[in-house]
Amino acid sequence: MPSPILPISNFPSSTTSAATTVVKAKVDADPSKTLLISSQLDPEKAIKPLLPRASSYNSTTNVNNSIISFSNNHQQRSRRISSDSSLALLSDQSPRRSISREVGHAASETFLLSRLCVKLLSYLGVGYRWITRFLALGCYALLLMPGFIQVAYYYFFSRQVRRSIIYGEKPRNRLDLYLPESSHGTKPVVAFITGGAWIIGYKAWGSLLGQQLSERDIIVACIDYRNFPQGTISDMVEDASQGISFVCNNIAEYGGDPNRIYLMGQSAGAHIAACTLINQAIKEAGEGDSTSWSVSQIKAYFGLSGGYNLFNLIDHFHNRGLYRSIFLSIMEGEDSLHQFSPDVLVQDSNVKPAVSLLPPVILFHGTADFSIPADASTSFADTLRRVGGKAESILYDGKTHTDLFLQDPMRGGRDEMFEDVVAIIHGGDEEALAKDAVAPPRRRLVPEFMLKLAHNVSPF
């Protein structure tokens, strides 16, 4: 049974809503083990970004106007072209899809990845921290390979997966859709932004989550975005915004309910999704902008193992192999850290009107997360409460950065965090909750001894 948490429908409507922290633990958690890394920013000069900063998607203050009509004809035409192209791709997603198209797309992706890897290596240079992390990552992936193979088979051969639907005109503006087998009624939707240290993120990383949620009658859209050095944080936020826009405006064509859309991000993806949501709220709180989606269309935001105060994390990342110069290049320099630190940005008095527009925020984190300390989530939830937002943080005792997202789902049986997410999405739907109660436990994908070894060698 999912652990009791604060239902979204019960969040107070006033701006004095309290933030709640729920600790998921089988034994008493030791507060002394909680990590909080806080340090002063090193004034080391950042590497100049490879790409110029891109402007974000425009927005309005009224969701009804954004759905019914758009003042900008160019935006209207671009969205129509994107939608038509995506529907054409949808029809090609059957097993009869052209092999030559698959091979051509794989070849172009491989070439792009190889070229970007060479550029990235030129940034990294020779450093023992990232080299040891890379070797640990290889061992980690090898131990989880039995699970990865099964998930990859599902990803490439399942009729329920619609791969590489185009949502924009920029490189990597594609998303994957995971559709439930049942076509009865409209389905709730999760728009998911994958993690990957802003460098190795890819839409297929969400395939395990997509498979799990689609089995519970939930549509999942895994949104791809430009990584560094192909793009910087502004590009990532712009891509995420366009992907969310596509989901909000087109998901009904795939059986999704446009009134039940949830935004979710993991690790770096949680940071990107939070920046995107707050940026959109800021624009909607202003005047004269136009948009193709609104924060009012998002029922709730789920942040999984995310970092929301970059000032507190920059030295921590440096010590773990994501060097300060590279990190500042990703974030477009030291002066941009405030803009892309959600925990800091919402405390700005000029941003306060936007905070009231934000949907409920639920942050999940493991207490044994060494990549991004759990205090990153609890602090952000507390900050949102102080400035009038609706927030809740849920901690899982002894869970690492990857336990919640990979090892636990591959273990099979009942996944605590997964059940909590589903309980929120299906809250108020008695029929769906009844089906969840009798849903069979998931089968194991990886032997337990390999999962324990992966837990120990994980570089995250």
Side-chain angles (χ1 to χ4, degrees):
M1 291 295 293
S3 303
I5 56 181
L6 186 61
I8 291 179
S9 58
N10 290 339
F11 273 114
S13 58
S14 68
T15 57
T16 58
S17 304
T20 304
T21 299
V22 181
V23 180
K24 303 286 185 174
K26 295 182 180 178
V27 295
D28 291 339
D30 184 358
S32 65
K33 294 182 180 179
T34 302
L35 297 177
L36 175 61
I37 309 298
S38 177
S39 58
Q40 297 296 322
L41 178 64
D42 193 318
E44 182 178 346
K45 186 178 180 180
I47 300 174
K48 184 179 179 181
L50 291 179
L51 300 177
R53 183 176 301 183
S55 61
S56 300
Y57 221 71
N58 291 332
S59 61
T60 56
T61 59
N62 190 299
V63 62
N64 292 325
N65 290 338
S66 69
I67 296 175
I68 298 172
S69 63
F70 304 101
S71 61
N72 190 308
N73 290 331
H74 175 71
Q75 289 181 355
Q76 196 173 35
R77 183 167 57 257
S78 297
R79 284 192 299 274
R80 185 167 56 251
I81 292 172
S82 176
S83 176
D84 293 344
S85 300
S86 300
L87 291 176
L89 280 175
L90 176 63
S91 63
D92 279 341
Q93 293 294 338
S94 68
R96 297 186 298 274
R97 179 174 180 174
S98 170
I99 295 178
S100 62
R101 175 178 293 183
E102 289 280 9
V103 172
H105 178 64
S108 63
E109 290 286 312
T110 301
F111 174 77
L112 175 62
L113 180 62
S114 301
R115 183 166 60 85
L116 292 177
C117 283
V118 172
K119 285 187 178 181
L120 183 60
L121 286 173
S122 68
Y123 277 90
L124 291 171
V126 179
Y128 77 93
R129 288 192 183 97
W130 78 261
I131 291 176
T132 55
R133 299 287 177 188
F134 183 77
L135 293 175
L137 176 61
C139 294
Y140 174 79
L142 187 62
L143 289 167
L144 296 183
M145 191 57 65
F148 290 149
I149 292 174
Q150 296 175 72
V151 174
Y153 182 86
Y154 168 83
Y155 178 73
F156 286 107
F157 296 102
S158 173
R159 293 175 178 269
Q160 306 309 124
V161 181
R162 307 290 187 261
R163 299 187 305 278
S164 296
I165 297 174
I166 298 172
Y167 68 78
E169 300 175 353
K170 300 294 179 59
R172 295 187 65 171
N173 280 181
R174 295 170 180 258
L175 58 83
D176 295 330
L177 281 181
Y178 299 81
L179 305 177
E181 290 187 2
S182 171
S183 59
H184 175 69
T186 56
K187 316 293 183 182
V189 183
V190 171
F192 181 66
I193 312 294
T194 63
W198 302 274
I199 295 173
I200 59 172
Y202 185 57
K203 56 188 173 62
W205 296 171
S207 54
L208 181 56
L209 177 71
Q211 181 181 8
Q212 281 185 299
L213 289 176
S214 64
E215 290 175 352
R216 294 293 186 90
D217 236 20
I218 299 168
I219 294 177
V220 179
C222 289
I223 300 170
D224 205 7
Y225 55 91
R226 285 168 286 177
N227 286 191
F228 183 82
Q230 189 180 23
T232 55
I233 184 63
S234 287
D235 302 309
M236 301 175 200
V237 170
E238 178 188 19
D239 290 350
S241 181
Q242 281 197 291
I244 296 168
S245 172
F246 179 89
V247 172
C248 289
N249 291 290
N250 296 278
I251 201 62
E253 299 173 11
Y254 302 90
D257 186 347
N259 296 315
R260 288 189 293 166
I261 297 176
Y262 298 82
L263 178 61
M264 184 176 187
Q266 188 263 340
S267 190
H271 168 258
I272 294 169
C275 288
T276 304
L277 194 63
I278 293 172
N279 183 61
Q280 185 74 5
I282 291 173
K283 290 188 175 184
E284 290 183 22
E287 296 180 359
D289 292 326
S290 60
T291 186
S292 61
W293 71 283
S294 169
V295 292
S296 64
Q297 294 176 267
I298 307 300
K299 291 277 290 183
Y301 166 68
F302 302 137
L304 173 57
S305 306
Y308 311 99
N309 187 334
L310 302 185
F311 293 100
N312 289 347
L313 293 171
I314 186 169
D315 286 339
H316 177 70
F317 288 153
H318 180 82
N319 293 331
R320 294 186 62 82
L322 182 56
Y323 300 131
R324 183 179 294 105
S325 58
I326 299 175
F327 184 71
L328 288 177
S329 295
I330 296 171
M331 298 301 158
E332 301 173 354
E334 191 173 325
D335 293 339
S336 296
L337 292 181
H338 178 275
Q339 177 186 353
F340 296 110
S341 293
D343 195 348
V344 177
L345 185 60
V346 296
Q347 299 181 60
D348 191 322
S349 58
N350 295 325
V351 179
K352 188 173 181 180
V355 174
S356 62
L357 301 178
L358 294 175
V361 173
I362 301 97
L363 306 176
F364 306 93
H365 222 118
T367 61
D369 190 334
F370 297 106
S371 293
I372 301 178
D375 282 348
S377 289
T378 57
S379 174
F380 187 33
D382 289 342
T383 299
L384 285 172
R385 172 191 55 81
R386 288 198 305 270
V387 298
K390 302 175 286 292
E392 176 184 6
S393 61
I394 303 174
L395 305 183
Y396 300 87
D397 186 62
K399 299 298 182 180
T400 67
H401 195 68
T402 56
D403 279 335
L404 296 175
F405 190 64
L406 284 177
Q407 286 98 290
D408 284 354
M410 288 186 176
R411 182 169 281 112
R414 293 289 178 177
D415 181 345
E416 192 173 14
M417 191 208 76
F418 172 75
E419 297 294 341
D420 287 341
V421 170
V422 172
I424 295 173
I425 296 175
H426 284 163
D429 187 339
E430 297 299 332
E431 181 180 353
L433 291 173
K435 290 181 179 179
D436 292 336
V438 297
R442 290 184 52 81
R443 63 185 181 85
R444 177 182 289 275
L445 302 181
V446 179
E448 185 63 27
F449 80 94
M450 297 180 73
L451 289 172
K452 290 182 177 179
L453 286 174
H455 174 95
N456 293 329
V457 304
S458 173
F460 302 107

